[in-house]
Amino acid sequence: KSTTIVQQFPWVNLLSETIKWPTFARQLGYQHATWNILAFLDADTRPTKQRFIKVLKQFGENDQLWFLSWPYSFYDMSLFRQFISRFNRTFIVYPSSLFVWYFGVWGNMIIRKTVLDQMHWFDTGILFHWDDTDAARRAHQFAQSKFMLSLKMQTSARRYLHQWFFTTSYLY
């Protein structure tokens, strides 16, 4: 499906990484990037044009902003689990981001390439869990981050449905 989707956007290049872990794919994208603002989105997210306009406006208004991330909103989760997810996002995740001054969700984030240059790229030694927190922590030394609770990305709840919600929340 990716090839069909990418063909609709002539300015987008589809890259293929042989090592099947997100940090390696992100690293490959970073190495081939020619623009300074890079977007990293999970394959099952449903981005909209309006969302990108809001995100890019944030970068245009603040040249010190290096990292912008936002939470998921699950389209295929029961109402009860959606309530728990919103509670977690509003009363645990967001306040935590204010306490440590950095927080990120790699499946929903935009970062400046110049900051990745300064932090010496992604840590490919971290294969999956906590790679976003590690990168946010390291990049925080160079500029400002923002976690926008009000800007949610529609995505599949596949990981939450496969594992119990609290297990997934703990791992992430």
Side-chain angles (χ1 to χ4, degrees):
K1 260 185 156 177
S2 297
T3 303
T4 305
I5 294 169
V6 167
Q7 288 173 344
Q8 299 173 33
F9 305 95
W11 63 89
V12 175
N13 295 322
L14 181 62
L15 304 172
S16 181
E17 171 58 58
T18 57
I19 303 173
K20 301 297 179 189
W21 287 102
T23 51
F24 289 95
R26 290 183 193 114
Q27 184 69 16
L28 181 68
Y30 159 73
Q31 290 170 333
H32 286 84
T34 56
W35 292 22
N36 188 34
I37 297 178
L38 309 180
F40 294 93
L41 303 173
D42 281 347
D44 55 359
T45 58
R46 295 179 174 174
T48 64
K49 183 178 180 179
Q50 294 81 9
R51 186 167 326 287
F52 280 111
I53 290 170
K54 286 180 183 179
V55 165
L56 293 175
K57 186 178 177 184
Q58 292 288 318
F59 278 92
E61 293 173 352
N62 182 354
D63 62 351
Q64 294 301 308
L65 183 64
W66 61 268
F67 178 91
L68 179 62
S69 186
W70 53 92
Y72 292 122
S73 177
F74 303 104
Y75 58 79
D76 56 352
M77 187 183 273
S78 72
L79 290 177
F80 175 71
R81 286 187 175 187
Q82 285 183 35
F83 171 79
I84 293 172
S85 174
R86 279 192 294 273
F87 180 88
N88 180 51
R89 175 175 63 230
T90 305
F91 297 106
I92 297 173
V93 173
Y94 183 69
S96 297
S97 73
L98 297 174
F99 178 70
V100 297
W101 296 102
Y102 58 85
F103 183 79
V105 178
W106 277 124
N108 281 337
M109 75 97 174
I110 310 261
I111 190 168
R112 291 186 193 270
K113 186 176 189 289
T114 51
V115 172
L116 286 171
D117 293 339
Q118 290 176 305
M119 61 184 263
H120 304 291
W121 317 331
F122 296 102
D123 182 353
T124 54
I126 301 173
L127 297 180
F128 195 65
H129 299 297
W130 301 300
D131 60 327
D132 45 10
T133 303
D134 172 71
R137 179 189 53 77
R138 291 187 300 121
H140 181 68
Q141 302 169 49
F142 305 105
Q144 184 182 47
S145 67
K146 187 171 188 178
F147 186 75
M148 291 184 65
L149 190 61
S150 63
L151 187 66
K152 296 165 195 65
M153 176 74 79
Q154 289 285 312
T155 191
S156 169
R158 60 185 163 73
R159 286 186 292 265
Y160 287 96
L161 297 174
H162 178 70
Q163 302 170 330
W164 177 238
F165 178 81
F166 295 106
T167 302
T168 307
S169 295
Y170 168 76
L171 289 172
Y172 289 90

